[in-house]
Amino acid sequence: MPVAVRGRSLGRPSVVGGAYALPATVLLILFFIAPLAMTAVMSLFSWPLFGERSFIGVANYETALHDAQLHRAVLFTVAFAVVTTVVSVAVGLLLAMFLQVERRGAGVIRTLVFLPVVIGMATASFLWLYLLNGQVGPVAWLWAALGLDGTPPLFLDSTAGAFVSIVVMTVWKSTGFSMLLLLLGIQAIPQQLLEAASVDGAHYWQRQRRIVLPLLRPTFALVAVMGLTQNFLVFDQFFLMTRGGPSNSTITAVYWIYNRAFMNYHLGYGAALALLVLAVLVVVNLVQLRLLGRGGSDE
Amino acid sequence: MRRRTVERPRRSLRSTIATVGLLAVAMVGQAACSNGGTPGPGPSEGSAAASGGVGELTMWVRAANEGKSRELAAAYEEATGIRVAVTAFPDDQYVTRLATAASTGDLPDVLATDSAYMPRFLEPNIFADLTDRVAALPFADELFEPLMDVSTRDGRVYALPRDPGNSMVLWNKDLFREAGIDPDAAPTTWAEMLESARAVDALGGDVSGFYFPGNCGVCNVFPWLPLVWASGGDLFDAEGRPTFDDPEVVAALELYRTIVQEGLVPPSAQTDTGSDWMTAFTAGKVGILPLGSFGIGTIREANPEMDMGIAPLPGREGGSASFVGGDVIGIPLASAHPDEAWEFIAWTLSDEVQIDVVAASHELVARTDLVENEHSEADPLVRIANDALAVSRTPQSVFYQQLVVDANGPFSTLFYDVTYGGADPAEAAAAAQRAALDVVGAGE
């Protein structure tokens, strides 16, 4: 039986409550719902950058089904996103576990690790483009200084080399954020639990595995979901550092949308692809949240 | 001994959520800001809508021409008191930016565009018809023809030439001397060019026989396509449709592949996206460099002692050709000040400006009656480039952007696949032709 709160019954909507929610609702509609609807409509058209547009129904989606480069791009993007997220979160977790203790210099290291997070991805891409440059980059200088034979490798000239280099660069850029969130999660764990376990004879790693990690689950889920989503949408690094090369092998999903829409002028097709990416991300996030479990501490 | 841990007060769930929420907002905000740095819409200066009164004109140019354009703008302001606000866009986003602006009518008073894009812009009626104004000019018949052709449709003229430049092959005469080759003889066949590159490369050390940026299709097409033209082939047919599997195209790709396979280019060339095109040559480390007349001034400034030769690109068995590019400049229909814009354009083509500003910086002039001027006479290299204008062509295709300029498009992929990717030239060309037809056939 519904509980009646004094002055209001559960059935009648609160005007005041609605008024509080109004600004957020307006923003949501203006900046999310409306553009999403417009994109959905665009995806049903052949919409050239120059010239007349025409309604073509789901033809764009049919084209996407046969678009070989799109399939390659999606596979590449998935591989990149999974590898980068796993490494980035793992490193972030290790750093959080290591730096939560107030030892000497922990604060400095935390700051240094977090610093790359605040520079833009485009800035970071250019930075690494020159770090890895065979002629003027410090890596090349290091190679020579260490006396290694031959010319330093061109990191970005092969698909594997470019993949590894950009994974490393993205982990460097984003692990600080994972670290910070996980650090907060760790610090939310009551000390009494850990002390009690310690008194009962559990050593460090047992405490981490049996107490810290399970209680970290919600934070972990958050970090993983945000990380995977962000990495799935990767564009800047591959656009600026490899231009999708060599031979279009490092083109990502979003890069392909950009190419189709703005280099080849198929805006309708680009819109369709964007909606497909959105759909995939929604599914991925739902699966992830299901697997990692939602909600706060159940214990 | 137990490590000292700071006793942290137990955080409530609420404050954790608040902190995380704050961080999430910060992250989104930072992501939004950082994404503003990636390629996308929005120049840093204002657009035509902001130009008020006759006191100011707005002008859009490609990044490559920003310096020259600002020079002209400054000179014009000094001469007439009218300010010309120049906005430059990165080259490979220029068409997209213009297209987006065109669809909203948000265009400047004066618009300069690469001549290769002009066929694309003629269709949606972006530019004003200048035919009558041009006819009134005293030098109307001396305006550089290939650039006039590309700006004309059905007999009506929509833009005027600006900064023509043609592709040339450059060579380092000192290195040639060292290698025992006649430094003053331009290569007349592909075989000769290859032999000379081999001879210079044999000098050893960090000297290379040849150079081209390995990861830039649109850079290379400029000096490479004339090799095909001079041998009787082409990338496009008369209607502007692709012919990527033309036998001469395949042969010219094979030539570059041979150059790479014989190690005649430095290893760093492979990943060069064009930013280092002239670097090694300017430092005296490269024998032969296919480039363009635009490099004369730049290389001279960086290395005044450089003794270099230039010539148009040779055909397989002889003959020569050159790709003439450059900008054309017109007045968008949307401009609120067409008369003032016209005065500015006419001024840029006047005797004084063409000679004292353009020619003085080792650039080619846009008028054939001024080709022989005091500056070009003094500079044999510019004279050669000027003479080559007679055999210079420009490709005309509405699909130039998608087929050639796009770094992930059929031409760029083909070029890299054959030169550095080890692909068989004939097969790769056939595949590229299929891809090109897809692009063209798909239309919009």
Side-chain angles (χ1 to χ4, degrees), chain B residues 355-367:
Chain B
I355 296 179
D356 297 334
V357 180
V358 175
S361 39
H362 305 280
E363 307 275 348
L364 306 186
V365 297
R367 285 166 46 184

Side-chain angles (χ1 to χ4, degrees), chain A residues 101-276:
Chain A
V101 174
E102 278 308 306
R103 56 166 63 90
R104 199 191 199 67
V108 172
I109 299 181
R110 278 199 297 267
T111 310
L112 284 178
V113 173
F114 191 74
L115 223 46
V117 176
V118 301
I119 68 176
M121 188 56 93
T123 314
S125 300
F126 279 116
L127 177 66
W128 278 77
L129 193 58
Y130 283 98
L131 282 178
L132 297 173
N133 182 301
Q135 285 177 305
V136 303
V139 175
W141 172 86
L142 206 63
W143 196 272
L146 292 174
L148 296 164
D149 257 333
T151 50
L154 293 171
F155 294 95
L156 301 173
D157 73 336
S158 67
T159 312
F163 184 86
V164 170
S165 307
I166 295 182
V167 165
V168 168
M169 172 259 183
T170 311
V171 167
W172 167 86
K173 171 99 178 46
S174 56
T175 198
F177 191 68
S178 309
M179 176 199 74
L180 196 67
L181 289 185
L182 291 166
L183 199 57
L184 289 174
I186 289 175
Q187 283 167 355
I189 294 170
Q191 284 298 306
Q192 296 90 302
L193 282 181
L194 292 166
E195 281 166 15
S198 175
V199 163
D200 283 347
H203 61 70
Y204 180 75
W205 285 110
Q206 279 177 320
R207 291 202 299 275
Q208 301 304 312
R209 208 160 67 79
R210 296 305 183 88
I211 299 173
V212 173
L213 288 185
L215 287 178
L216 212 46
R217 216 169 187 211
T219 317
F220 197 82
L222 177 72
V223 166
V225 164
M226 282 168 76
L228 195 66
T229 304
Q230 193 168 39
N231 287 323
F232 198 81
L233 296 173
V234 65
F235 170 72
D236 306 37
Q237 300 91 301
F238 289 101
F239 183 81
L240 294 170
M241 294 171 78
T242 65
R243 270 289 194 281
S247 290
N248 296 342
S249 58
T250 60
I251 290 184
T252 64
V254 173
Y255 191 128
W256 191 237
I257 295 176
Y258 166 81
N259 179 285
R260 292 291 95 182
F262 297 108
M263 293 298 268
N264 282 266
Y265 312 137
H266 304 311
L267 291 180
Y269 187 58
L273 292 183
L275 284 186
L276 287 175

